[in-house]
Amino acid sequence: MYLITVFGNLLIILAASSDSHLHSPMYFFLCNLSFVDICFTSTTIPKMLWNIQTQNKVITYKGCITQIYFYIHFAGLDIFLLTVMAYDRFVAICDPLHYMLIMNPQLCGLLVLVSWVMFVSLFYCTSLGVYLSPFATHSSQSSATAAVMYTVVTPMLNPFIYSLRNKDIRRALKGFSGMETFAKGAFVLRLKKCTG
């Protein structure tokens, strides 16, 4: 699941960066969201996989504090970027004629910059609820399930939810991977065989 998360988000970043048709505010925010999702899952999953492999569940105090800091930081960024994306879609729907004027590169850059320096409380509070609540209130299995949902499943599904159902992203991925060129070449070869 971790590799799917990283690979899916990297594909979104590469496709949106390489296709000039996708250089719009929505895809700018989507690339940032994909990058944050990669960072978010990378704060906990590699250590968890190492712990499973070595059967050693020890973490140092400094390692724990560092991991919690980055976990909360990237969770907050994730939520803030989703909020910015919702605002972007609101402007696109409610004022489509002035969309490019309102969502200019300066505003988009400012919104992303602000997202890199702010936290949002929803994900932050649920994270603290899972990790800092007394052990007697819930089982370790429910904690592990909640942790996997927050750290693996959501970032893994984001590329599929936000982009792979989008025809522009699918077109960019086909062009990026060379599938479009391969399909055109195969069509030309068939056409030559049929006419020749």
Side-chain angles (χ1 to χ4, degrees):
M1 287 169 67
Y2 176 67
L3 292 177
I4 293 170
T5 302
V6 172
F7 183 69
N9 283 300
L10 277 176
L11 271 179
I12 299 307
I13 293 169
L14 292 173
S17 301
S18 65
D19 190 342
S20 62
H21 294 94
L22 300 180
H23 293 178
S24 68
M26 180 177 80
Y27 295 108
F28 175 69
F29 296 135
L30 189 61
C31 284
N32 278 278
L33 180 67
S34 292
F35 177 72
V36 169
D37 280 345
I38 291 170
C39 295
F40 177 67
T41 56
S42 297
T43 59
T44 55
I45 303 304
K47 176 67 175 158
M48 181 184 72
L49 293 173
W50 177 256
N51 289 350
I52 291 170
Q53 181 69 26
T54 61
Q55 296 296 316
N56 180 6
K57 297 179 182 177
V58 176
I59 186 169
T60 65
Y61 180 74
K62 288 180 182 179
C64 181
I65 294 298
T66 303
Q67 192 176 49
I68 287 174
Y69 170 78
F70 284 109
Y71 174 82
I72 293 171
H73 182 72
F74 290 122
L77 286 170
D78 223 4
I79 291 171
F80 194 77
L81 282 169
L82 289 171
T83 305
V84 168
M85 290 171 72
Y87 174 72
D88 174 67
R89 295 295 81 206
F90 172 77
V91 172
I93 292 167
C94 293
D95 200 359
L97 297 177
H98 295 107
Y99 173 72
M100 291 308 289
L101 184 65
I102 295 169
M103 296 304 292
N104 59 52
Q106 292 81 14
L107 179 63
C108 293
L110 179 64
L111 289 172
V112 168
L113 178 63
V114 168
S115 72
W116 278 94
V117 295
M118 287 184 65
F119 297 165
V120 181
S121 63
L122 177 65
F123 212 78
Y124 178 73
C125 291
T126 55
S127 304
L128 286 177
V130 168
Y131 290 108
L132 299 181
S133 63
F135 291 168
T137 61
H138 58 278
S139 68
S140 62
Q141 184 177 1
S142 66
S143 293
T145 303
V148 167
M149 290 299 291
Y150 285 125
T151 59
V152 180
V153 175
T154 304
M156 182 182 73
L157 293 178
N158 276 345
F160 300 106
I161 293 169
Y162 292 108
S163 51
L164 294 181
R165 294 192 63 198
N166 181 319
K167 66 179 180 179
D168 294 331
I169 287 285
R170 284 196 310 259
R171 181 183 42 76
L173 286 173
K174 285 179 184 175
F176 179 73
S177 66
M179 295 171 113
E180 195 171 282
T181 307
F182 176 74
K184 285 180 185 175
F187 177 74
V188 169
L189 284 175
R190 279 193 208 144
L191 187 61
K192 285 181 180 178
K193 285 182 182 178
C194 291
T195 58

